[in-house]
Amino acid sequence: MTQSNIETVADPQTTEIDIPIHGTDHVEMYVGNAKQAMHFFCSGFGFRPVAYRGPETGVKDTASYVVEQGKVRIVITSPLGPDSPIADHVHRHGDGVKDIALWVDDAAAAFDQTVKNGAIPIAEPTEEYGDGGKILKATVGTYGETQHTFIQRDEFEGTFLPGYEEYGLEDWKINETNLEFVDHIVGNVEDGKMNDWAEYYESCFGFHVLQNFDEKDISTKYSSLRSRVMKNANGRIKLPINEPAEGLKKSQIQEYLDYYKSPGVQHVALHTNDIIQAVDRLRTNGIKFLQVPDSYYENLLDRVGDIDEDIEVLKDLHVLVDRDEQGYLLQLFTKPVEDRPTLFFEVIQRKGSQGFGKGNFKALFEAIEYEQQKRGNL
Ligand code: FE2
């Protein structure tokens, strides 16, 4: 190794990191049956199908559907045979998030800088051309088999990405649910690995620690977890990382790891500017949420102070509230969206608070434990 190579070894104190990220470009899921999963996200969550790629567009081994609502874009991909890495992924993990794609100005620079700082290289910068122009993309790894693809799309005006065609809605009436943008995406990693992955985002991507939660913050009589929230410079990307902690019974994080068979994405939080309407419509569409005990609402106003919403309405919809120094937030969590108890979604409305609902952790985890108990996994 030459002297100059030694100097390129990552050091979070001295390495210059400047990777402007505009936001989450899209989230890609690998699933067993993309056609049916797409229908679930549209009929249940109120997304619109906007783009498609598959055999009809010249791609022989996969089918991908893109669904969109507000700025949230989810790509749902299935393998069309057993001989693809996507089939292996689905076999091992079940349906889950493969890629948290990040929208950047310069995908090559993002790849070069992060890899130089120690990020796992997955795919070198590649240009793709289509009817609407060209994009540049490059991919690095993160926890488990999850990855981040950097997408540079300033010279592209076509449908989603090159190779995709518009998806016709025809007579389908979608009941949209006011979901606006990705607020945060949480990963679950093994006991003892949270700090390593937090440092990965710090040293490779230049992220900072926004908040820390330990087992004293997040525990019930039975189980606990630790969490560290990492965020990028402009705050548009927030990636909390959880690990299980010792408790009397099995942590919900451990249950996830047992079923996903590796670290991976635990939940995707979607922001809305009207959680009451959003949750009301989601429930009407058949989306199932965690049950919050009625007792949660008994002293709620003592805990959170004055809020704009009618507490009876919140109680009816089982929406949770938490307050910190900057304001309050309302949130609610779906049950897992596949048969394995792995990925779920959060609906969140922020009214000043930039927190994650620390005051709700106990009530929430008791609700999760109730579900764990029913599955025989507590
Ligand atoms: Fe969350």
Side-chain angles (χ1 to χ4, degrees):
M1 189 182 270
T2 64
Q3 185 63 32
S4 67
N5 279 343
I6 292 168
E7 283 170 1
T8 63
V9 171
D11 176 351
Q13 261 78 58
T14 57
T15 307
E16 195 66 29
I17 303 171
D18 182 20
I19 307 167
I21 303 173
H22 297 300
T24 309
D25 188 275
H26 63 270
V27 174
E28 181 164 19
M29 294 181 65
Y30 284 175
V31 305
N33 186 338
K35 184 181 278 187
Q36 289 189 8
M38 174 274 284
H39 207 286
F40 174 82
F41 279 97
C42 297
S43 56
F45 281 93
F47 284 85
R48 273 175 302 106
V50 293
Y52 171 78
R53 184 177 73 174
E56 298 84 346
T57 69
V59 177
K60 292 294 173 215
D61 55 350
T62 58
S64 296
Y65 297 80
V66 185
V67 301
E68 195 174 87
Q69 186 170 187
K71 291 180 184 167
V72 188
R73 215 155 30 190
I74 301 176
V75 182
I76 305 160
T77 297
S78 277
L80 298 180
D83 304 322
S84 96
I86 300 175
D88 288 342
H89 196 279
V90 173
H91 176 70
R92 184 165 156 76
H93 304 290
D95 294 358
V97 171
K98 174 65 180 178
D99 202 323
I100 302 166
L102 305 172
W103 175 26
V104 296
D105 283 334
D106 189 338
F111 181 83
D112 291 345
Q113 278 193 43
T114 50
V115 169
K116 191 171 141 195
N117 289 328
I120 305 153
I122 304 260
E124 298 264 338
T126 312
E127 285 184 347
E128 286 184 1
Y129 297 84
D131 288 344
K134 72 165 186 181
I135 62 117
L136 186 67
K137 65 179 195 177
T139 306
V140 296
T142 180
Y143 46 75
E145 291 196 72
T146 318
Q147 63 190 31
H148 292 295
T149 294
F150 299 113
I151 306 270
Q152 178 184 336
R153 48 168 73 254
D154 53 321
E155 291 179 53
F156 185 73
E157 289 178 344
T159 301
F160 182 52
L161 288 176
Y164 280 81
E165 283 182 1
E166 239 173 83
Y167 187 94
L169 204 54
E170 293 165 19
D171 295 332
W172 196 353
K173 299 263 187 306
I174 305 278
N175 189 19
E176 292 211 12
T177 60
N178 296 328
L179 301 173
E180 297 176 305
F181 58 84
V182 174
D183 187 273
H184 59 276
I185 299 181
V186 182
N188 283 343
V189 303
E190 305 98 325
D191 189 7
K193 297 288 189 202
M194 178 187 75
N195 286 338
D196 294 352
W197 286 110
E199 277 161 27
Y200 183 77
Y201 281 102
E202 210 163 357
S203 58
C204 302
F205 293 74
F207 282 23
H208 295 286
V209 180
L210 178 62
Q211 275 176 322
N212 272 309
F213 303 103
D214 62 19
E215 46 270 71
K216 288 191 288 301
D217 298 315
I218 318 181
S219 67
T220 66
K221 195 164 82 183
Y222 294 130
S223 69
S224 57
L225 62 88
R226 288 177 286 268
S227 188
R228 177 164 290 182
V229 182
M230 304 306 295
K231 89 173 193 23
N232 78 323
N234 64 15
R236 291 189 191 164
I237 307 294
K238 283 178 279 200
L239 303 174
I241 298 164
N242 295 334
E243 67 179 5
E246 279 296 311
L248 279 176
K249 295 193 178 181
K250 185 187 279 191
S251 168
Q252 51 160 307
I253 308 306
Q254 192 57 48
E255 187 198 34
Y256 173 99
L257 296 169
D258 290 349
Y259 279 86
Y260 200 68
K261 303 294 176 193
S262 80
V265 171
Q266 179 209 36
H267 74 267
V268 176
L270 302 175
H271 191 274
T272 173
N273 61 13
D274 185 350
I275 199 165
I276 289 173
Q277 191 177 57
V279 172
D280 190 37
R281 288 187 183 175
L282 287 161
R283 286 189 183 282
T284 303
N285 289 351
I287 296 298
K288 291 204 183 310
F289 292 91
L290 285 179
Q291 291 289 323
V292 183
D294 281 355
S295 59
Y296 172 86
Y297 296 91
E298 278 165 19
N299 302 312
L300 182 63
L301 293 183
D302 296 340
R303 298 201 299 276
V304 301
D306 282 344
I307 54 173
D308 304 333
E309 294 73 17
D310 181 342
I311 199 150
E312 285 306 315
V313 175
L314 297 180
K315 186 176 167 182
D316 250 17
L317 294 169
H318 290 232
V319 172
L320 303 162
V321 191
D322 193 32
R323 183 180 285 279
D324 60 21
E325 310 75 47
Q326 293 162 295
Y328 69 100
L329 62 80
L330 305 113
Q331 63 185 165
L332 188 52
F333 298 80
T334 71
K335 292 188 180 184
V337 295
E338 54 288 295
D339 291 303
R340 296 194 201 192
T342 53
L343 176 72
F344 59 88
F345 283 78
E346 172 182 351
V347 182
I348 184 167
Q349 181 175 9
R350 294 186 181 280
K351 290 196 160 180
S353 169
Q354 292 307 308
F356 293 85
K358 180 176 160 184
N360 289 325
F361 289 164
K362 194 164 188 296
L364 197 65
F365 295 139
E366 282 169 355
I368 292 175
E369 280 169 14
Y370 174 72
E371 300 291 328
Q372 247 179 293
Q373 170 92 42
K374 284 203 290 188
R375 293 189 285 262
N377 292 329
L378 186 61

